Amino acid sequence: MAKPPRTASDELAPGLYEHPLTARLIRLIESLPPGLRAEVADLRAHEAPHLLSRQVANVLLGVLRALVRSDEEDERKSAGLVSRGAGWAASLLQDLEGLAGDLARPEEQLSQPPRVLREVASNDPLRARPERPLIPLGQSALLVNERGEPSLARSLEKELTSADRVDLLCAFIQWNGLRLVQSSLQEFVRRGGELRVLTSTYMGVTQRRAVDALCELGAEVRVAYDREPARTRLHAKAWLFHRHSGLSTAYIGSSNLSHSALVDGLEWNVRLSAVETPEVIHRVATAFDRYWHDPTFEPYDPLRDGTRLDAAVRADTDPEGQGATVFFDVRPYPHQQIILEQLERERSLFGRRRNLVVAATGTGKTLVAAFDYERLREEGVDTLLFIAHREEILRQARHQYRNVLRDGGFGELWGGGERPTRWRHVFASVQSLDAAGDVLPFPADHFDLVVLDEMHHAPAPSYDRLLDFLRPAVLLGLTATPERSDGLDALKHFDGRISAELRLWDALDLQLLAPFHYFGVPDDLDLSGLQWQLGAYVDSELEALYLGAEGRSRVAKILTAIERHVDDSGRMRALGFCVGVRHAEFMARCFEEAGLAARAVTGKSSPEERRGAVRALRDGKVRILFTADLFNEGVDIPEVDTLLFLRPTESATLFLQQLGRGLRNCPGKRCVTVLDFIGIQHRKFRFDARYRALTGLSRRQLEEQIQSGFEELPP
């Protein structure tokens, strides 16, 4: 515990303290100048052990250090100094025993003369004696690879000789770093040490030669294949040296396993001791075990996984695919594999063939469906009907099925002017199915598997009629948001159950999506007097308000908020969600006048105009697209890094759909800026529904989080 800071006049500086009162502190408090006061409180039970023991330890440490310094040049007195110091410590322990009796643990009294246990060694003369670490086992230290100090590599080698188990957490592993400690690791494993290694392919820096060499040494290696360039799943660097003696140590800092990091790079690493910081060492060990069992880190075998590691590293160094094309099987991500296993369990163990998957936008629901179909084919499932409500979704889905099945001719479209001829694997729009009415060109049981995308639409009459008619052997529903604000039951076709679930907050925690910064921006428009019908405002009234004089002043506030919260408005790629067509066109004109390239993309826009607008946004020729009920779902524009919510909605489904347009990872995108423009709402407007959908909190928990400033949110 540090002493209170001293100034020239030995005054207490303004600030926070955690010092037990002493005679010196009382004197300083009494001499505080006018305008300053001291807040003094009773010592609480939970803090007493730490604060009191630190106070005693610091006083004793200060006395002993001063004593040693006063005679440090006189070697003859060193033995006497040790004896005197041990005598003081023994006296303190005796006093504790007198005060606390058995609680003082009299068996901890010092021996006389004072001695230290250095090792418990084997009697086997052939067994090598471990070297002592460069830093004493009971001390912490900072290593910075400076001249005249031991390198990190040398320190690690010394630690290895006495460790019983080693855990290495390292984002990058390179051969020129591994070879510095390779012989020490080899000897460690040879004498029975257990070595576990966690690493990743992030940024394409890890080298397969180094990972394979670790496996050859006998290490158990697990790899996080960071196939999304924007993800930084593993960036930590830590060595944990477990010792059966309890004197474990850890190195935590900036050094990966490379030559520069271990020898001469400007790296900082803290060496921690279980003697000084047992809680921190325990936390490190617990965190490592949690990562070790996280499915994101997959067991690595050079013969089985070497080609995959090469491809993952190459994909990170050549994200645009400009290099040689590498063909390898498409595999599910770990989180997708968990969903697939849950579906398999529902069907095989419980016989449930009508299953609903709820997974956040951007986590690959359609890919899950494709992998699921690939497995069901082994059980005899063949014919497939994939249903969605937009042609873009159907084409994207068919493309993903073709990739998974490695079949470029798989599937026929029914929609957008196309009609199937073979009727075996059909990707159909609900509009085409509904238009056919009672004369569908297939019987109710024709399709073995029916997949219903964006299942939250199921209560709509067109979906309802279709699902009441179809009799597939297997029904699979996909959605990010099963909740509906109108109270209709979206689960009735799935026996009221959700079979597998990965909500937004879980996906963010797993870093499957781009993180977002949400700002609620007051726009001061008074909506409290507008009509409220069926749980929503009347769109025509909202639009009239936003297009009037108050609406123009609102635009100025929107532009100001962008300049304040967006890193560079001249480089942003944004979507603005509007009330209707006129509102979207109005906003596009206003932004153009303000010097920000913008377009309106609405139901009036032709398919060619929509595709052109998206292309222009991706290419940076347009900075923002204003839309009305068009890009809520089924459109993937990973480059979007800014979202403007320009109309109020209490619908959690709509809110999450619009938020999801910006959450897909993309090279160079670090986060998504979300600006939600909030007016004075109608008294029936509920804010809690969408924020609960964002956080997964109950209403009471949400209120507590609002009051505390949202202290506990996913990273």
Side-chain angles (χ1 to χ4, degrees):
M1 180 187 69
K3 293 182 179 180
R6 289 176 177 264
T7 63
S9 58
D10 199 21
E11 296 176 346
L12 286 174
L16 297 177
Y17 294 89
E18 281 187 353
H19 298 314
L21 279 185
T22 62
R24 175 176 171 274
L25 276 179
I26 292 173
R27 175 176 57 80
L28 292 177
I29 290 171
E30 291 174 346
S31 62
L32 282 173
L36 293 179
R37 61 185 175 82
E39 294 284 349
V40 177
D42 293 336
L43 184 64
R44 292 180 292 230
H46 73 273
E47 62 184 357
H50 286 286
L51 294 185
L52 295 179
S53 62
R54 287 176 189 171
Q55 180 68 16
V56 173
N58 281 337
V59 171
L60 182 59
L61 180 64
V63 170
L64 292 175
R65 279 179 171 168
L67 181 64
V68 171
R69 280 197 300 270
S70 66
D71 292 312
E72 60 187 1
E73 296 181 359
D74 191 340
E75 294 292 336
R76 293 173 301 175
K77 294 183 179 180
S78 61
L81 294 175
V82 170
S83 179
R84 288 174 63 188
W88 290 343
S91 178
L92 283 174
L93 290 172
Q94 287 175 349
D95 289 344
L96 279 176
E97 187 177 348
L99 289 171
D102 291 341
L103 291 176
R105 302 175 68 183
E107 69 274 11
E108 298 296 338
Q109 184 60 265
L110 295 173
S111 67
Q112 294 298 333
R115 312 195 66 184
V116 177
L117 174 65
R118 299 291 186 190
E119 182 183 353
V120 175
S122 170
N123 289 323
D124 184 354
L126 299 179
R127 188 176 181 87
R129 297 286 297 275
E131 299 180 62
R132 303 200 74 81
L134 296 178
I135 304 166
L137 287 169
Q139 293 181 17
S140 299
L142 174 67
L143 291 85
V144 294
N145 280 350
E146 285 188 346
R147 180 176 296 179
E149 293 186 0
S151 68
L152 177 60
R154 186 60 179 149
S155 297
L156 295 174
E157 286 184 312
K158 290 285 190 178
E159 298 275 355
L160 282 165
T161 69
S162 60
D164 297 297
R165 181 160 57 90
V166 174
D167 292 332
L168 169 59
L169 181 69
C170 200
F172 316 141
I173 294 179
Q174 295 186 312
W175 172 248
N176 62 12
L178 175 62
R179 66 187 178 188
L180 294 174
V181 293
Q182 186 177 18
S183 59
S184 297
L185 287 171
Q186 189 171 25
E187 175 59 25
F188 165 76
V189 175
R190 188 200 63 77
R191 64 178 175 81
E194 178 186 351
L195 175 60
R196 299 191 299 176
V197 179
L198 291 174
T199 190
S200 78
T201 61
Y202 172 57
M203 290 182 64
V205 178
T206 290
Q207 295 176 328
R208 177 183 171 184
R209 179 185 181 185
V211 179
D212 288 356
L214 280 169
C215 293
E216 291 170 8
L217 287 176
E220 190 175 357
V221 179
R222 297 192 176 186
V223 178
Y225 296 91
D226 288 302
R227 290 166 287 182
E228 293 290 348
R231 288 179 59 199
T232 56
R233 178 58 182 165
L234 177 63
H235 205 264
K237 300 95 179 176
W239 293 76
L240 180 56
F241 298 93
H242 300 269
R243 295 182 176 86
H244 298 329
S245 65
L247 276 73
S248 299
T249 52
Y251 287 72
I252 303 173
S254 62
S255 291
N256 284 293
L257 197 51
S258 68
H259 180 277
S260 173
L262 297 185
V263 179
D264 54 11
L266 296 178
E267 308 277 354
W268 283 28
N269 293 275
V270 174
R271 197 278 208 145
L272 300 172
S273 163
V275 175
E276 288 190 343
T277 57
E279 297 90 350
V280 178
I281 296 292
H282 176 72
R283 181 73 182 275
V284 173
T286 301
F288 185 94
D289 283 337
R290 186 169 67 252
Y291 296 164
W292 186 258
H293 296 291
D294 187 329
T296 300
F297 294 93
E298 303 179 50
Y300 176 80
D301 177 88
L303 295 178
R304 183 191 63 209
D305 305 311
T307 303
R308 183 186 181 194
L309 180 63
D310 284 338
V313 169
R314 188 176 292 111
D316 255 330
T317 55
D318 183 25
E320 300 300 324
Q322 299 300 318
T325 302
V326 179
F327 293 99
F328 57 96
D329 289 338
V330 180
R331 297 189 185 189
Y333 286 96
H335 70 276
Q336 294 168 339
Q337 185 62 44
I338 291 173
I339 294 175
L340 291 168
E341 291 169 358
Q342 290 172 329
L343 287 174
E344 175 66 18
R345 184 170 60 249
E346 289 286 310
R347 293 168 184 153
S348 61
L349 294 183
F350 305 110
R352 296 169 182 147
R353 311 287 282 182
R354 304 170 74 85
N355 304 105
L356 173 62
V357 171
V358 175
T361 299
T363 56
K365 296 185 294 297
T366 308
L367 270 175
V368 166
F371 287 122
D372 187 47
Y373 174 68
E374 182 184 37
R375 183 166 55 184
L376 287 171
R377 290 177 94 177
E378 300 174 2
E379 303 174 9
V381 169
D382 177 27
T383 50
L384 164 72
L385 176 63
F386 188 101
I387 304 171
H389 71 295
R390 290 192 188 278
E391 181 186 342
E392 295 93 334
I393 299 177
L394 295 174
R395 292 188 181 277
Q396 291 172 8
R398 184 175 65 170
H399 176 71
Q400 292 184 336
Y401 272 76
R402 287 177 172 180
N403 281 339
V404 169
L405 301 173
R406 300 178 69 86
D407 181 356
F410 181 83
E412 299 177 286
L413 286 181
W414 191 11
E418 297 187 40
R419 184 178 175 87
T421 57
R422 297 185 298 273
W423 296 100
R424 282 186 61 201
H425 311 118
V426 178
F427 292 77
S429 70
V430 70
Q431 293 86 352
S432 298
L433 290 163
D434 191 48
D438 297 329
V439 289
L440 287 169
F442 48 78
D445 60 354
H446 174 72
F447 292 103
D448 301 328
L449 170 64
V450 171
V451 179
L452 180 61
D453 197 24
E454 305 296 351
M455 182 283 314
H456 49 271
H457 294 297
S462 54
Y463 282 81
D464 231 359
R465 286 193 299 270
L466 183 61
L467 291 175
D468 286 339
F469 167 76
L470 294 170
R471 292 289 181 269
V474 182
L475 176 66
L476 178 65
L478 308 173
T479 186
T481 51
E483 297 82 10
R484 290 179 60 96
S485 58
D486 57 13
L488 295 178
D489 183 9
L491 306 183
K492 67 177 182 178
H493 294 288
F494 301 91
D495 303 322
R497 300 183 69 261
I498 296 174
S499 298
E501 195 168 11
L502 179 67
R503 294 291 190 157
L504 174 65
W505 48 90
D506 298 317
L508 288 168
D509 197 39
L510 292 171
Q511 295 190 9
L512 303 175
L513 304 175
F516 65 91
H517 296 167
Y518 172 91
F519 298 93
V521 183
D523 66 15
D524 300 328
L525 259 66
D526 189 352
L527 312 180
S528 61
L530 300 183
Q531 290 188 70
W532 186 263
Q533 295 180 358
L534 300 177
Y537 292 105
V538 176
D539 283 353
S540 60
E541 291 192 6
L542 266 180
E543 196 163 38
L545 180 62
Y546 290 152
L547 297 178
E550 290 181 287
R552 284 204 167 269
S553 64
R554 183 183 191 236
V555 171
K557 294 174 184 175
I558 292 169
L559 290 167
T560 299
I562 290 174
E563 289 302 317
R564 178 180 179 185
H565 295 294
V566 176
D567 287 344
D568 184 351
S569 60
R571 298 174 62 88
M572 72 176 182
R573 290 176 172 87
L575 292 179
F577 296 100
C578 301
V579 178
V581 173
R582 293 170 59 215
H583 185 210
E585 294 173 344
F586 167 76
M587 291 301 303
R589 287 196 304 272
C590 291
F591 268 58
E592 284 282 347
E593 293 169 2
L596 285 174
R599 290 188 193 176
V601 184
T602 68
K604 289 174 55 179
S605 308
S606 67
E608 293 75 17
E609 289 174 326
R610 296 178 196 174
R611 286 192 287 268
V614 170
R615 209 164 33 244
L617 184 69
R618 284 177 163 161
D619 294 343
K621 297 176 182 177
V622 168
R623 288 297 150 207
I624 183 166
L625 300 181
F626 290 100
T627 180
D629 295 330
L630 192 61
F631 289 160
N632 293 341
E633 56 194 16
V635 176
D636 295 336
I637 312 176
E639 294 84 355
V640 168
D641 56 23
T642 306
L643 298 173
L644 308 183
F645 292 170
L646 303 175
R647 60 157 301 157
T649 176
E650 66 172 20
S651 166
T653 298
L654 184 59
F655 184 75
L656 292 181
Q657 286 173 348
Q658 294 177 347
L659 178 66
R661 295 311 103 206
L663 296 185
R664 292 188 183 274
N665 283 316
C666 181
K669 182 168 77 173
R670 295 300 176 189
C671 71
V672 183
T673 302
V674 183
L675 303 181
D676 190 359
F677 295 90
I678 302 170
I680 302 169
Q681 303 293 349
H682 192 280
R683 61 182 178 81
K684 292 184 179 180
F685 187 90
R686 289 183 57 183
F687 285 95
D688 66 306
R690 53 181 176 171
Y691 294 133
R692 287 174 60 188
L694 267 181
T695 61
L697 301 173
S698 68
R699 180 166 180 149
R700 179 175 179 180
Q701 290 171 325
L702 180 64
E703 290 176 358
E704 293 173 350
Q705 283 295 301
I706 290 173
Q707 291 171 357
S708 66
F710 287 100
E711 294 177 344
E712 300 174 7
L713 288 177

